[in-house]
Amino acid sequence: VARMFLRLLSDIQWRAAHSKWRRMTSSQRSTSTTAEPHPVSLPAQAQVVICGGGIMGTSVAYHLSKMGWKDIVLLEQGRLAAGTTRFCAGIVSTARPVSIELKMAHYSNKLYQQLEQETGVQTGYMKTGSISLAQTQDRLISLKRIASSLNVMGIPCEIISPKKVVQLHPLINIHDLVGAMYVPEDALVSSANVSLALATAASWNGVQIHERTSVSHVTVQKGRVTGVETDRGRIQCEYFVNCAGQWAYELGHSGEEPVHIPLHACEHFYLLTHPLKEPLSSSLPTVVDPDGRIYIRNWQGGILSGGFEKNPKPLFTEGRNQLEIQNLQEDWDHFGPLLSALLRRMPDLEALQIMQLVNCPESFTPDMRCIMGESPTARGYFVLAGMNSAGISYGGGAGKYLAEWMVNGYPSENVWPLDLKRFGTLQSSRTFLRHRVMEVMPLMCDLKVPRWDFQTGRQLRTSPLYDRLDAQGARWMEKHGFERVKYFVPPGKDLLDLDHSKTFYKPDWFDIVGSEVKCCKEAVCVIDMSSFTKFEISSTGDQALESLQYLFSNDLDVPVGHVVHTGMLNEKGGYENDCSIARLSKRSFFMISPTDQQVHCWAWLRKRLPDDSNLVMEDVTWKYTALNLIGPRAVDVLSELSYAPMTAEHFPSLFCKEMSVGYANGIRVMSITHTGEPGFVLYIPIEYALHVYNEVMNMGQKYGIRNAGYYALRSLRIEKFFAFWGQDLDAFTTPMECGREFQVKLEKGMQFLGQEALLEQKQNGVYKRFTMFILEDHDTDMDLWPWWGEPIFRNGRYVGKTTSSAYSYTLKRHVCLGFVHHFDEKTGEELVVTTDFINQGEYEIDIAGQRFQAKAKLYPFSSLFTQRRRKDEAELSGYQRE
Amino acid sequence: FYLTPPQVNSILKANEYSFKVPEFDGKNVSSVLGFDSNQLPANAPIEDRRSAATCLQTRGMLLGVFDGHAGCACAQAVSERLFYYIAVSLLPHETLLEIENAVESGRALLPILQWHKHPNDYFSKEASKLYFNSLRTYWQELIDLNSGETTDVREALINAFKRLDNDISLEAQVGDPNSFLNYLVLRVAFSGATACVAHVDGVDLHIANTGDSRAMLGVQEEDGSWSAVNLSYDHNAQNEHEVERVKMEHPKSEEKSLVKQDRLLGLLMPFRAFGDVKFKWSIELQKRVIESGPDQLNDNEYTKFIPPNYHTPPYLTAEPEVIHHKLRPQDKFLVLATDGLWETMHRHDVARIVGEYLTGVHHQQPIAVGGYKVTLGQMHGLLTERRARISSVFEDQNAATHLIRHAVGNNEFGTVDHERLSKMLSLPEELARMYRDDITIIVVQFNSHVIGAYQNEE
């Protein structure tokens, strides 16, 4: 083992010639912490302190220094690239299902390719390509979906037959394969050397690198980072970047003001062998066999093969720090199933001699996506960690986006799926993380079908009606820890069990949701929507109104009792949040936004609201249960329960009133449904929730009331062309681009955030346009269903991707929503998208490589709104135009 | 004829029983975590019996296995009655008085034992009144005797064994007006049973053994390996002391005829047993009882047959040998089993198999490649074999079942061979007895933490 360790070390080319930092440390290869003289003392202050000298820390340092920030100190508790980075398998793979991750990996690949030339450090970069194997048709579908999105990004990629697989890699046993995906430009690197190369380039650019320096904690004053305490003294700084890998959680919790970074380490095993008799070529492609849960790459004439087992071993739950990752124990019994998979895939390797089983912990996050961004509580505290074992693939791109974020205030791509603020304290429990990562690690290889959900760490946040709904057949999904109903299985009807209900085709709940939708259209349904984020903002004087008028694009100076749909826009006019705000009184507002906005929206407002003790913002999410009564008979149910007239004359659309329902008083009733259907949302103080629910269900019986879930809601809102934040809308989408000019009051008499950008768009036009597509030749029973992220083709050319989709039970067709761009045919330059451009194209949607004709629409079907109602048009996005 | 693994499992698991002791039973924290027990018949009906109960008026738990011969009547009676005799022997004078007064005045009786029974373990309803009267006579005598001393467990066990055997003998001599009962008490007396009983109270473990069932302690050494400590001596021809004892009790003239072909008087394997009045009563008594007995008894050649060289009865006793052991934290479990197990398995294998079962697979030595030259194929083979070993552990939820699986299914390499298991379990009734004996096993698991705490107190 000792020899092995040295061998790994010798992979690293220590280029003394160029490295400044090389001189700062003793050359002795001791892993102990024993004090050695530190020839260079730490600076007393710096603009940025980066903690962690792995691939993430060095990549951030590299990119920051490239962007012109020079006053940077990088601290590493052991030696550079000595943690997870050293033991990383070094596979750069772009085949990622999430688009932002794909972009990061693509950029990383390009960066590493030229890194050796730039720095002179040998990175071992070798373009080998990769083959992802499919043992089942379902797996092949998921590969085809990835292939579609790689192709439209210009990354070469093809679906190949098993025969072609053998041509690419002679050792592979193909008898159980149905196909494969080949990505010829994927690469191998020595990850430690990449990290050292990045560090070298960074140090040329002025970054100071100090090894053997541990950060004990970060000091924060008045919500801003002020400095870093280390075992070698204090450094004052404006920015701190936590790139501490699996120790990031602990480091985040070490300060007085904890920064919650939900990640947890699991042991990860891979095998190294001696060379084959005829050593494997170093250009042989990497093989990924997700059904066998393994990956196999060539390594020094032999192979390196690891995987993601079904029963992972989480570790360091209690948090045990250690300087560098020593080789943890080899556990052959644990590796057994993966070894079986390896020998099944490459039977000729039986006689190959084992060199070592490496155990190197990797950190995993609750949703399988990495963590990046600024802390919601401590400004200047940035995080980049939790790579879910894809650190080398993401390293370059992730470092770039974080550097952009720090320098420009925002990254150049929508990184919300990776934003630290998608999590809150609720994902920070060690028990939760331990259980969740045990599910996440096997999921790396599991087949992910549309609307899959996590099974662990559930029932954390629930509505007070949870048990009632569950007893009535509710099936649940989770968002931000909150249990939400998907649909209700009627008594006597059995659905397939979880494993069998996994499908890319028509799901087993199709008819169930259909009848819920029908009930919403014809009678009335109740959906528990308690998970929505709810804030109250009030002030003694006009501060609340003034501040909100600046922070929101619509005009909030409406009469008391009115509800306003508005975007919370950034400087570029993009949606940071999309909410409904009710004016409760002259000086107080009730704000409803999507569930996963709880942390982000709070931080956004906190940062921008004036520091005024007379202006109070409170998170009241937990105080109210929300019942959405959707359907034409909602009005009857409610008026019977409240003895108050609820008709349009008394209770117009987009109106909010406190009233009594049953015995319970003080129920906030709003005439919105988030679907475009008539109805009301009741915001009920939680202790009344059960009472009001019972009353509504009892009274509703004669109107045919029933429970419904979010799948019905989604079908309704998508056929009405309603965009949802987080699905369709993001920080890079403006109201102008999604037909919501009517929610922007450019002339409301005062400045607001994003106004300039919107004015410019209004004058010059938009570069993408939110469009609704109705699939024409799609057979709901036989064809693959769309999900989201499907490429859109106009006249045969790629113009954008879908963002959400649903079956419309009214149209009896699939509806996809997505953005259409206009790329110049020659230069690829983005051009203005006009209404004519949209209307004059022939469209196709690509579902896993198969294209379906689609009709594009910029406005919803008016024929759907047979129950014409009053002012509802205002709620129907895009219907009422300026 | 081939049994599938589920069929094998349903046979093996038909009689399995587990009991987990509540952590705190109201009096003390128990040194016993719980027990697993199981039986696999070879005779039809099975002649083995098992019992387990918690003493309610004193502390401690009783567990026992009983191996019957010449029928199951004696083993059945002993399994029902012996623990009451032991419990009564252990009771202090005041409690005995209280119980007697309650019976006298027709009040509800203090419960003496809480039984832990498998649904197949039955008590004979018809004889309960008879059994109760005999027991009552016993405690009345104990009350009259009132020694005033605190009861010694060893003595209590010996007294209970001897008293019960005496009562069995007396009941047969006296007979019963009810013809069913009359026949029953005779069958009990003319058949026989060995008994191996454990009494556990805190760190004090007493084993009282009569016959050739065996008690074995499983000890985990510091290096994690398992060893076995015998807590009973077999009373059979292989035990020199026992042969010596028998010879001492009879005139020298009988020395040659006492033990023939490793059997007592050339007939009986165990040298001590309950019942078996044919080895205890005088020839006259035997003849008188048989003649006055029911026809069924007269028709039975076995009962009428007088052992050869029968000169100075009794040749047989039910008096147990008692061994006291102070439990230590390394004493992890106790196995009580009838000779059906010990015939097929060495005690060291029993200790290892149960030990590894109870601690799970984690103690399987991890594999390290180190500097050795191992190929992927070799490693794969090794891991597959280890997994197979583990999976047979996980099939069983009961340590006794697991042990039976090994006892019946082990091949020459000490691993369970399904084919062999299937063959052994599908033997026709008349053949089964040739290849194996009834097996009854109780595995008691100890709570090392509690035992450690007791030790520290002392």
Side-chain angles (χ1 to χ4, degrees):
Chain A
V1 172
R3 197 187 309 144
M4 184 58 237
F5 196 62
L6 284 176
R7 179 122 187 223
L8 276 174
L9 282 177
S10 70
D11 286 352
I12 299 163
Q13 308 292 320
W14 294 83
R15 286 287 172 131
H18 303 300
S19 10
K20 260 186 190 170
W21 42 268
R22 183 74 173 81
R23 276 175 272 124
M24 297 170 190
T25 61
S26 155
S27 60
Q28 195 191 332
R29 293 269 197 278
S30 155
T31 52
S32 71
T33 40
T34 46
E36 292 165 27
H38 290 280
V40 178
S41 59
L42 290 183
Q45 66 180 64
Q47 187 188 10
V48 183
V49 173
I50 300 170
C51 173
I55 181 74
M56 291 304 148
T58 52
S59 177
V60 172
Y62 172 90
H63 286 99
L64 278 178
S65 62
K66 279 255 152 129
M67 293 181 74
W69 284 21
K70 304 289 176 189
D71 190 9
I72 299 168
V73 176
L74 188 151
L75 304 178
E76 162 57 43
Q77 59 175 342
R79 289 193 323 278
L80 280 179
T84 299
T85 300
R86 174 194 300 287
F87 292 106
C88 173
I91 300 168
V92 185
S93 152
T94 40
R96 305 283 163 187
V98 180
S99 138
I100 183 68
E101 293 179 338
L102 197 158
K103 284 175 185 159
M104 291 199 303
H106 184 49
Y107 172 83
S108 300
N109 196 342
K110 286 191 295 188
L111 174 70
Y112 302 159
Q113 190 174 4
Q114 54 83 42
L115 207 53
E116 188 165 330
Q117 203 182 15
E118 181 185 342
T119 63
V121 177
Q122 283 176 14
T123 56
Y125 183 91
M126 174 63 83
K127 197 173 276 183
T128 60
S130 75
I131 314 172
S132 302
L133 309 177
Q135 293 184 26
T136 64
Q137 289 299 338
D138 272 354
R139 176 69 68 184
L140 193 59
I141 290 167
S142 78
L143 292 179
K144 282 176 179 170
R145 292 182 60 93
I146 294 174
S148 288
S149 55
L150 284 172
N151 278 327
V152 297
M153 276 196 60
I155 303 169
C157 169
E158 57 177 322
I159 297 294
I160 57 176
S161 67
K163 267 188 194 156
K164 183 80 191 293
V165 171
V166 180
Q167 288 165 16
L168 290 167
H169 200 307
L171 288 174
I172 297 183
N173 164 27
I174 56 161
H175 80 266
D176 56 350
L177 299 183
V178 298
M181 176 176 73
Y182 179 47
V183 185
E185 291 190 353
D186 276 355
L188 292 178
V189 292
S190 153
S191 41
N193 289 8
V194 165
S195 194
L196 294 177
L198 292 169
T200 304
S203 74
W204 289 345
N205 283 333
V207 175
Q208 294 186 52
I209 297 172
H210 295 264
E211 297 181 296
R212 297 181 199 290
T213 309
S214 350
V215 174
S216 68
H217 66 271
V218 177
T219 55
V220 175
Q221 270 172 17
K222 289 183 189 160
R224 266 221 79 108
V225 167
T226 55
V228 173
E229 294 290 346
T230 78
D231 57 351
R232 294 175 55 207
R234 180 181 163 78
I235 308 176
Q236 279 193 327
C237 64
E238 285 174 61
Y239 293 93
F240 175 74
V241 189
N242 183 341
C243 295
Q246 58 189 322
W247 313 124
Y249 176 94
E250 270 184 283
L251 180 58
H253 277 251
S254 63
E256 271 178 48
E257 175 81 46
V259 175
H260 301 290
I261 305 162
L263 55 83
H264 192 295
C266 282
E267 293 182 40
H268 174 62
F269 294 90
Y270 65 78
L271 173 79
L272 297 172
T273 73
H274 289 280
L276 272 77
K277 271 214 191 84
E278 194 185 317
L280 281 186
S281 153
S282 62
S283 61
L284 212 54
T286 299
V287 176
V288 182
D289 181 2
D291 300 303
R293 308 188 160 274
I294 50 166
Y295 57 82
I296 309 157
R297 58 160 280 196
N298 73 72
W299 185 77
Q300 301 192 351
I303 60 145
L304 180 162
S305 172
F308 300 97
E309 61 274 22
K310 271 188 190 156
N311 52 335
K313 292 165 76 177
L315 81 168
F316 306 139
T317 305
E318 304 86 1
R320 191 190 79 202
N321 209 334
Q322 57 179 40
L323 185 63
E324 283 163 42
I325 298 166
Q326 309 293 333
N327 239 359
L328 285 147
Q329 273 201 325
E330 55 191 318
D331 185 342
W332 280 98
D333 290 304
H334 193 71
F335 193 73
L338 299 179
L339 179 58
S340 299
L342 170 63
L343 289 177
R344 172 173 152 163
R345 187 54 53 220
M346 297 187 181
D348 294 346
L349 297 185
E350 281 228 346
L352 191 56
Q353 202 180 314
I354 295 166
M355 179 176 276
Q356 198 194 1
L357 184 64
V358 183
N359 179 353
C360 102
E362 294 274 0
S363 36
F364 294 87
T365 62
D367 60 0
M368 235 177 4
R369 301 196 296 262
C370 76
I371 297 173
M372 115 175 5
E374 192 177 15
S375 155
T377 46
R379 288 177 69 182
Y381 192 123
F382 282 82
V383 178
L384 185 57
M387 290 297 141
N388 298 290
S389 80
I392 199 69
S393 294
Y394 297 154
K400 172 178 159 235
Y401 291 140
L402 193 80
E404 287 171 354
W405 200 330
M406 293 171 68
V407 174
N408 304 334
Y410 44 86
S412 58
E413 289 283 347
N414 170 34
V415 294
W416 170 249
L418 315 177
D419 193 332
L420 171 64
K421 291 193 283 290
R422 73 189 186 274
F423 296 122
T425 52
L426 71 96
Q427 287 92 352
S428 197
S429 140
R430 280 318 261 176
T431 316
F432 167 80
L433 286 171
R434 184 182 169 88
H435 290 186
R436 177 55 69 82
V437 298
M438 286 175 72
E439 182 185 3
V440 161
M441 184 165 151
L443 261 177
M444 309 296 299
C445 290
D446 286 345
L447 192 68
K448 284 170 277 293
V449 300
R451 289 167 275 283
W452 61 276
D453 210 354
F454 292 102
Q455 302 302 312
T456 54
R458 295 290 297 267
Q459 294 182 332
L460 180 55
R461 300 169 73 205
T462 57
S463 149
L465 302 175
Y466 179 87
D467 281 348
R468 283 298 304 276
L469 302 179
D470 196 56
Q472 294 176 79
R475 293 291 182 273
W476 304 89
M477 59 182 184
E478 175 246 25
K479 184 92 174 181
H480 199 56
F482 211 108
E483 294 294 333
R484 311 197 296 181
V485 181
K486 294 192 282 192
Y487 47 81
F488 286 83
V489 180
K493 187 165 166 90
D494 254 343
L495 284 190
L496 298 170
D497 61 63
L498 202 66
D499 271 347
H500 291 102
S501 64
K502 283 185 173 181
T503 179
F504 288 98
Y505 294 88
K506 181 175 154 182
D508 53 358
W509 44 258
F510 181 79
D511 293 328
I512 293 177
V513 173
S515 59
E516 285 177 11
V517 165
K518 187 162 185 276
C519 186
C520 287
K521 295 254 179 200
E522 293 171 1
V524 53
C525 278
V526 184
I527 305 183
D528 185 336
M529 307 212 351
S530 307
S531 70
F532 276 4
T533 298
K534 307 175 257 305
F535 292 166
E536 272 174 11
I537 300 154
S538 55
S539 60
T540 50
D542 285 338
Q543 302 96 320
L545 178 66
E546 278 167 21
S547 311
L548 297 185
Q549 283 285 57
Y550 173 69
L551 291 170
F552 293 89
S553 59
N554 209 336
D555 189 359
L556 292 170
D557 196 4
V558 289
V560 170
H562 277 242
V563 181
V564 177
H565 287 312
T566 178
M568 181 175 91
L569 309 181
N570 55 32
E571 287 79 356
K572 296 174 298 169
Y575 277 99
E576 288 296 330
N577 186 4
D578 183 31
C579 31
S580 309
I581 300 180
R583 190 165 194 182
L584 297 177
S585 72
K586 274 248 170 267
R587 301 190 173 96
S588 72
F589 295 85
F590 184 58
M591 172 181 168
I592 298 142
S593 32
T595 311
D596 48 2
Q597 275 281 356
Q598 200 169 14
V599 179
H600 172 67
C601 180
W602 180 267
W604 178 271
L605 291 176
R606 256 283 79 94
K607 193 169 169 182
R608 286 163 181 82
L609 284 173
D611 197 10
D612 181 348
S613 61
N614 292 321
L615 176 65
V616 180
M617 177 167 74
E618 191 190 356
D619 183 345
V620 295
T621 303
W622 60 276
K623 284 187 177 174
Y624 293 94
T625 297
L627 290 182
N628 193 353
L629 268 67
I630 305 179
R633 310 313 296 268
V635 58
D636 303 306
V637 175
L638 217 52
S639 60
E640 279 208 51
L641 279 174
S642 58
Y643 287 96
M646 300 297 292
T647 51
E649 302 80 65
H650 298 93
F651 210 120
S653 183
L654 287 173
F655 201 65
C656 170
K657 199 152 100 182
E658 278 203 4
M659 51 194 282
S660 63
V661 177
Y663 300 153
N665 205 357
I667 311 297
R668 229 167 249 173
V669 178
M670 292 187 204
S671 43
I672 54 174
T673 62
H674 305 279
T675 58
E677 300 294 329
F680 304 87
V681 181
L682 314 185
Y683 284 90
I684 309 158
I686 51 168
E687 69 261 40
Y688 296 143
L690 197 60
H691 172 76
V692 172
Y693 175 78
N694 287 341
E695 291 291 306
V696 165
M697 291 310 277
N698 287 336
M699 188 58 74
Q701 258 177 12
K702 63 180 168 188
Y703 300 104
I705 201 166
R706 58 178 291 171
N707 291 301
Y710 271 77
Y711 283 8
L713 186 89
R714 195 189 58 216
S715 171
L716 289 169
R717 70 102 178 160
I718 287 178
E719 73 181 17
K720 288 275 166 58
F721 201 12
F722 266 41
F724 258 34
W725 193 91
Q727 264 287 302
D728 312 298
L729 307 181
D730 60 37
F732 286 79
T733 311
T734 71
M736 305 305 184
E737 293 159 348
C738 60
R740 288 189 174 182
E741 299 92 319
F742 69 97
Q743 286 181 9
V744 178
K745 296 294 183 296
L746 288 168
E747 287 91 30
K748 68 178 170 182
M750 66 175 293
Q751 274 246 301
F752 63 90
L753 212 50
Q755 191 175 23
E756 273 175 45
L758 295 182
L759 271 170
E760 198 198 307
Q761 275 195 335
K762 193 177 159 68
Q763 260 161 19
N764 302 337
V766 294
Y767 289 88
K768 63 179 178 185
R769 190 68 210 260
F770 194 51
T771 312
M772 173 171 171
F773 296 95
I774 292 91
L775 296 191
E776 301 279 281
D777 56 349
H778 183 269
D779 185 330
T780 309
D781 292 317
M782 302 302 293
D783 287 325
L784 287 171
W785 274 34
W787 187 1
W788 50 269
E790 289 90 11
I792 303 165
F793 293 87
R794 179 183 175 277
N795 299 343
R797 294 176 59 88
Y798 169 72
V799 288
K801 281 186 178 182
T802 64
T803 50
S804 57
S805 76
Y807 180 80
S808 162
Y809 292 88
T810 320
L811 296 168
K812 306 218 178 330
R813 283 261 173 277
H814 260 288
V815 177
C816 300
L817 308 182
F819 286 93
V820 172
H821 302 251
H822 185 182
F823 301 108
D824 186 275
E825 292 197 16
K826 292 197 187 80
T827 62
E829 189 196 349
E830 285 204 55
L831 304 175
V832 168
V833 177
T834 61
T835 309
D836 283 348
F837 179 79
I838 300 283
N839 290 337
Q840 287 164 7
E842 295 287 323
Y843 290 89
E844 286 172 310
I845 308 283
D846 174 330
I847 307 174
Q850 197 184 348
R851 292 193 188 177
F852 295 93
Q853 287 172 25
K855 205 162 100 191
K857 291 183 67 74
L858 282 173
Y859 307 103
F861 286 92
S862 47
S863 64
L864 285 176
F865 314 120
T866 41
Q867 295 124 357
R868 276 300 66 228
R869 287 171 67 248
R870 317 156 296 268
K871 210 178 115 184
D872 268 25
E873 291 87 330
E875 202 191 343
L876 306 172
S877 82
Y879 191 77
Q880 212 178 53
R881 302 172 66 205
E882 295 240 329
Chain B
F1 197 71
Y2 180 81
L3 298 174
T4 62
Q7 284 173 317
V8 164
N9 281 345
S10 75
I11 294 174
L12 289 180
K13 295 179 179 191
N15 292 314
E16 70 179 15
Y17 177 79
S18 290
F19 177 73
K20 217 174 156 283
V21 176
E23 258 174 57
F24 182 72
D25 66 2
K27 281 177 294 204
N28 63 329
V29 182
S30 176
S31 56
V32 174
L33 282 172
F35 69 87
D36 291 339
S37 76
N38 199 355
Q39 296 187 306
L40 181 70
N43 293 299
I46 185 169
E47 294 180 347
D48 278 6
R49 291 294 184 270
R50 59 183 156 168
S51 293
T54 305
C55 300
L56 294 175
Q57 301 306 322
T58 55
R59 306 190 322 180
M61 191 164 183
L62 287 164
L63 305 115
V65 294
F66 312 98
D67 184 353
H69 48 264
C72 60
C74 185
Q76 173 64 33
V78 174
S79 76
E80 290 179 38
R81 304 175 70 181
L82 182 57
F83 287 8
Y84 280 114
Y85 280 72
I86 297 171
V88 163
S89 309
L90 286 166
L91 288 178
H93 187 66
E94 311 81 64
T95 318
L96 287 172
L97 272 178
E98 202 179 321
I99 290 173
E100 173 58 22
N101 290 337
V103 176
E104 193 64 50
S105 55
R107 280 186 284 119
L109 214 57
L110 285 173
I112 298 174
L113 292 175
Q114 185 198 348
W115 293 93
H116 312 298
K117 288 197 298 188
H118 186 272
N120 291 356
D121 301 340
Y122 62 94
F123 278 8
S124 82
K125 272 204 187 102
E126 298 81 4
S128 62
K129 182 78 187 146
L130 175 76
Y131 291 167
F132 177 78
N133 287 337
S134 298
L135 183 66
R136 187 178 175 194
T137 315
Y138 177 41
W139 80 53
Q140 284 169 338
E141 280 174 33
L142 286 176
I143 291 171
D144 294 342
L145 269 169
N146 183 15
S147 55
E149 291 165 25
T150 47
T151 333
D152 175 65
V153 179
R154 168 191 298 273
E155 252 172 67
L157 285 165
I158 294 174
N159 291 341
F161 271 61
K162 285 164 76 176
R163 176 69 185 209
L164 173 60
D165 194 47
N166 208 38
D167 283 353
I168 288 171
S169 170
L170 271 178
E171 286 154 10
Q173 291 173 40
V174 173
D176 196 285
N178 175 319
S179 66
F180 176 83
L181 278 182
N182 195 36
Y183 183 44
L184 177 72
V185 293
L186 286 167
R187 274 189 299 142
V188 169
F190 277 91
S191 61
T194 72
C196 185
V197 172
H199 178 267
V200 201
D201 175 12
V203 291
D204 289 305
L205 170 64
H206 285 87
I207 304 289
N209 183 47
T210 287
D212 56 2
S213 291
R214 198 182 285 172
M216 185 212 86
L217 196 62
V219 181
Q220 188 165 31
E221 305 296 341
E222 268 175 27
D223 65 357
S225 67
W226 295 93
S227 63
V229 174
N230 273 348
L231 288 182
S232 67
Y233 301 110
D234 298 349
H235 299 137
N236 58 18
Q238 277 73 48
N239 182 344
E240 284 172 33
H241 297 285
E242 200 55 13
V243 175
E244 206 57 32
R245 175 186 66 80
V246 174
K247 287 182 176 169
M248 289 282 286
E249 290 171 358
H250 297 278
K252 199 131 180 85
S253 56
E254 291 183 45
E255 192 166 327
K256 290 236 169 76
S257 56
L258 273 174
V259 182
K260 275 186 171 172
Q261 291 158 343
D262 284 349
R263 287 167 188 249
L264 190 66
L265 296 176
L267 293 170
L268 198 60
M269 291 258 269
F271 281 25
R272 303 189 192 193
F274 283 92
D276 283 328
V277 291
K278 268 160 17 95
F279 297 84
K280 289 173 180 164
W281 289 352
S282 67
I283 295 174
E284 298 72 42
L285 182 57
Q286 291 190 39
K287 284 188 170 158
R288 181 170 57 77
V289 170
I290 291 168
E291 273 161 25
S292 64
D295 297 342
Q296 300 106 306
L297 202 63
N298 270 306
D299 297 343
N300 188 327
E301 289 301 319
Y302 172 78
T303 43
K304 279 204 297 199
F305 172 76
I306 303 290
N309 305 308
Y310 197 81
H311 307 296
T312 50
Y315 288 89
L316 196 62
T317 174
E319 176 168 339
E321 218 176 339
V322 178
I323 293 181
H324 175 228
H325 177 81
K326 282 251 181 230
L327 288 171
R328 307 157 298 169
Q330 63 265 40
D331 301 335
K332 301 295 182 187
F333 58 90
L334 173 75
V335 179
L336 300 175
T338 54
D339 59 341
L341 174 71
W342 307 111
E343 278 165 13
T344 57
M345 280 185 106
H346 192 272
R347 58 192 166 101
H348 292 305
D349 293 330
V350 171
R352 184 182 52 79
I353 288 167
V354 176
E356 284 176 1
Y357 172 84
L358 291 177
T359 49
V361 281
H362 309 296
H363 287 270
Q364 210 174 18
Q365 210 64 33
I367 305 178
V369 173
Y372 300 108
K373 288 186 175 175
V374 185
T375 67
L376 292 178
Q378 287 166 337
M379 178 59 82
H380 188 236
L382 182 61
L383 293 176
T384 312
E385 194 187 299
R386 281 160 70 94
R387 261 207 308 283
R389 280 225 311 263
I390 294 161
S391 68
S392 82
V393 171
F394 285 129
E395 250 176 293
D396 297 321
Q397 269 88 57
N398 183 304
T401 310
H402 187 61
L403 208 43
I404 292 178
R405 187 185 298 276
H406 276 274
V408 179
N410 263 11
N411 56 20
E412 53 270 43
F413 308 113
T415 52
V416 175
D417 176 348
H418 178 76
E419 208 165 308
R420 187 183 154 87
L421 199 54
S422 162
K423 265 189 203 141
M424 290 292 278
L425 292 178
S426 56
L427 292 172
E429 267 180 21
E430 59 281 10
L431 273 180
R433 187 61 191 86
M434 315 259 294
Y435 288 90
R436 55 188 171 88
D437 195 358
D438 292 338
I439 300 177
T440 298
I441 300 172
I442 299 179
V443 179
V444 187
Q445 208 185 339
F446 297 118
N447 187 337
S448 303
H449 297 292
V450 172
I451 290 168
Y454 271 113
Q455 250 185 356
N456 294 339
E457 271 173 37
E458 280 171 10

